[in-house]
Amino acid sequence: MRAVLAILKIATAFLVAATFSIDNPVPDEAFSIVPSPLPGRLEAHVVFPQGDRADPLAFHYLEHLSWLNAIGRGKLNAGRHSNAWTKRIALGYWLSGGTGELADILRRLSGVFKPIGLPRPFAEDERKMLLREYEQRLIDNPGAQAELAMDAFLYAGNRDALSPLGTPAEIGSLSYDAARALHDSSHRPELARLVIIGDVTRAEVRQAMLKAGWPEVQKKHMPPTQPPFTLAEPDRTTLRFADPHAVTHLIWRRVVTLPRPVEFDLLEAETALLRDILDTTLPGGLAGPLRFDAAITRSFDIQIWPIDEDNIEISFAAYPDRGVTLENLRAAFENTLDRIARDSIPEATYARVLKRFDDYWPDWEDADKTARWIANYTLRRVGALRQPLGRDELKRLPDRLSRAALNTLLHQLAGRGRTAVAFIGSEDRFK
């Protein structure tokens, strides 16, 4: 729980560059400070992008080695207030401690920039830890296996098609020498993003960075960017995971390209509002025709989100009601989605759900609730290597939502896209 809270707090800061020297003081834009929700506590987080053509599994192995080399190996309770993570497009390291430990925290954290010098047998043995992660997340978990297979199809030709987990064969072939070379090219100061969480001043952070020997940027700083996404031609695949021990259910996903780009933060709000509408029993929603009126599904979960400014994805996971096959469930969902898109979202439904959608935004008059909302919002932007909007820009977003825009998104999602369907459960339910 401590690690989860630390990650959430870390996510409340903006990604920044660390560029300074004794003769070149740290500029204001070089780092961000967020007051700590825990008095006397401080955290620091450094993030590196993987690059457009990188292999997430190679970075996952590198993350393990770099963290052990800098922070973890051979130190009593070294991982107690520290950890590392790898996502599909970025990886990061964090440390926490008392406010008075700022310089020491930055000194220890700066070790991730140093060349990896672990003993070869130790480094190669770390591949077993990656294999254990693979087994824990995927073995006897057909739902997770289905999601990875669907990712490979839906995101073909893009970074998101690759998994940081890899396969046992890929894990076994990871090279220590290749990891050290990857570290040299990726863990550079001009690529680093530094986050500070704590009740400290900017002057104190500048002084602590100098004292800690935080590496100076020798080249022009490279701002974080999200890898480009290009959707392959509309196509369809059906995957079957006939595990007799799995709960029988359907996973349906589709990615579509929008007719024109939409600002990312606005698009995220629009897709969230559209998701809330489809989740209701109101006219224009899915719950009535699929669950309460026709008893086709016992329960379902629907999610819609932007991949970037040009592409969005919809995911529908559902459990069939008694006597309903997975194929029947799939057909019912697609037909209902088509009908709702054809009829458009009723004005009354839009107005009613929009009123409830106020909960999507913070109560700007409540400092605590606003801080929590900003923390979650920033977490999403950190993971996507994006710069969060300022508070004034965020406050203007609700006024830009419209029923016409949501109907445009709905028509796209019900139209031609790249679609993957997974049937999970006992084989007799597939017939």
Side-chain angles (χ1 to χ4, degrees):
M1 178 62 69
R2 179 180 295 168
V4 173
L5 291 175
I7 291 172
L8 288 175
K9 289 179 286 180
I10 286 168
T12 60
F14 295 110
L15 299 179
V16 295
T19 306
F20 71 99
S21 67
I22 294 177
D23 298 324
N24 180 25
V26 185
D28 285 343
E29 64 273 15
F31 59 91
S32 179
I33 304 173
V34 175
S36 174
L38 298 176
R41 299 299 298 174
L42 181 141
E43 295 166 355
H45 191 207
V46 63
V47 176
F48 297 92
Q50 294 181 23
D52 295 350
R53 301 180 181 276
D55 177 4
L57 175 59
F59 271 96
H60 189 184
Y61 181 44
L62 172 58
E63 170 242 301
H64 279 234
L65 299 183
S66 183
W67 183 84
L68 289 167
N69 185 71
I71 301 167
R73 180 173 176 260
K75 298 176 182 177
L76 184 63
N77 294 326
R80 189 173 182 180
H81 303 293
S82 171
N83 214 328
W85 52 267
T86 302
K87 297 181 180 179
R88 292 177 187 270
I89 61 175
L91 71 162
Y93 312 85
W94 62 267
L95 274 166
S96 67
T99 303
E101 301 176 85
L102 175 58
D104 183 61
I105 287 173
L106 292 178
R107 178 188 59 78
R108 294 176 62 199
L109 192 60
S110 69
V112 299
F113 294 100
K114 298 178 181 178
I116 298 175
L118 298 170
R120 182 175 295 274
F122 179 86
E124 293 179 343
D125 195 55
E126 187 64 19
R127 293 178 299 195
K128 294 179 181 177
M129 296 302 297
L130 272 67
L131 183 60
R132 182 178 300 176
E133 289 186 40
Y134 170 88
E135 293 171 344
Q136 289 177 339
R137 299 185 189 186
L138 294 177
I139 298 299
D140 297 325
N141 189 345
Q145 295 169 21
E147 293 286 4
L148 283 182
M150 298 170 93
D151 287 349
F153 175 79
L154 292 170
Y155 307 145
N158 295 279
R159 284 292 313 286
D160 285 348
L162 303 175
S163 168
L165 293 177
T167 66
E170 290 170 341
I171 293 171
S173 66
L174 289 169
S175 164
Y176 179 35
D177 292 333
R180 288 194 291 187
L182 180 59
H183 178 274
D184 292 343
S185 65
S186 63
H187 284 48
R188 305 200 309 266
E190 64 267 22
L191 299 175
R193 316 299 188 248
L194 179 64
V195 173
I196 300 292
I197 310 295
D199 298 321
V200 293
T201 66
R202 303 192 72 84
E204 288 171 333
V205 172
R206 292 189 184 98
Q207 183 179 16
M209 293 175 76
L210 290 170
K211 184 178 180 180
W214 194 266
E216 182 180 346
V217 174
Q218 300 296 330
K219 299 179 180 180
K220 183 178 179 180
H221 171 249
M222 304 283 289
T225 57
Q226 188 181 53
F229 182 88
T230 303
L231 183 64
E233 288 295 322
D235 198 359
R236 189 184 192 97
T237 187
T238 300
L239 308 168
R240 301 178 185 272
F241 295 81
D243 187 333
H245 304 293
V247 178
T248 302
H249 65 287
L250 163 80
I251 302 176
W252 186 101
R253 293 169 57 186
R254 174 176 289 167
V255 178
V256 301
T257 297
L258 301 177
R260 62 185 62 85
V262 179
E263 178 188 330
F264 190 84
D265 287 88
L266 176 61
L267 185 57
E268 184 177 70
E270 290 175 343
T271 54
L273 178 55
L274 178 57
R275 178 262 167 213
D276 285 358
I277 290 173
L278 293 177
D279 196 42
T280 67
T281 58
L282 299 171
L286 293 167
L290 293 182
R291 184 178 178 191
F292 296 102
D293 298 342
I296 293 171
T297 173
R298 292 181 287 111
S299 64
F300 69 84
D301 176 75
I302 185 165
Q303 300 294 331
I304 311 172
W305 66 93
I307 297 173
D308 57 16
E309 289 81 356
D310 297 283
N311 301 275
I312 61 176
E313 178 170 346
I314 178 173
S315 170
F316 177 78
Y319 299 84
D321 210 323
R322 187 182 302 274
V324 178
T325 67
L326 291 174
E327 180 57 41
N328 292 153
L329 175 55
R330 179 205 61 76
F333 165 71
E334 291 184 349
N335 291 336
T336 303
L337 184 66
D338 288 346
R339 178 182 57 76
I340 293 174
R342 185 172 61 251
D343 295 343
S344 297
I345 300 167
E347 177 63 40
T349 296
Y350 171 76
R352 185 169 177 181
V353 178
L354 181 63
K355 186 176 181 179
R356 297 200 299 253
F357 196 64
D358 285 345
D359 291 340
Y360 178 86
W361 314 101
D363 178 355
W364 297 104
E365 303 301 320
D366 188 316
D368 290 339
K369 290 182 179 179
T370 297
R372 292 179 183 276
W373 190 93
I374 293 292
N376 292 329
Y377 164 73
T378 306
L379 175 61
R380 296 194 301 271
R381 294 302 173 267
V382 168
L385 298 178
R386 290 179 177 274
Q387 184 72 12
L389 293 181
R391 182 172 299 203
D392 290 342
E393 294 173 293
L394 288 169
K395 286 183 177 181
R396 289 193 289 267
L397 284 178
D399 295 334
R400 299 172 62 188
L401 297 172
S402 71
R403 184 168 71 100
L406 266 59
N407 278 319
T408 297
L409 296 180
L410 183 57
H411 282 287
Q412 291 296 126
L413 292 171
R416 296 179 70 244
R418 197 162 180 85
T419 308
V421 184
F423 293 161
I424 302 171
S426 57
E427 188 68 26
D428 60 352
R429 299 300 294 270
F430 301 148
K431 298 179 181 179

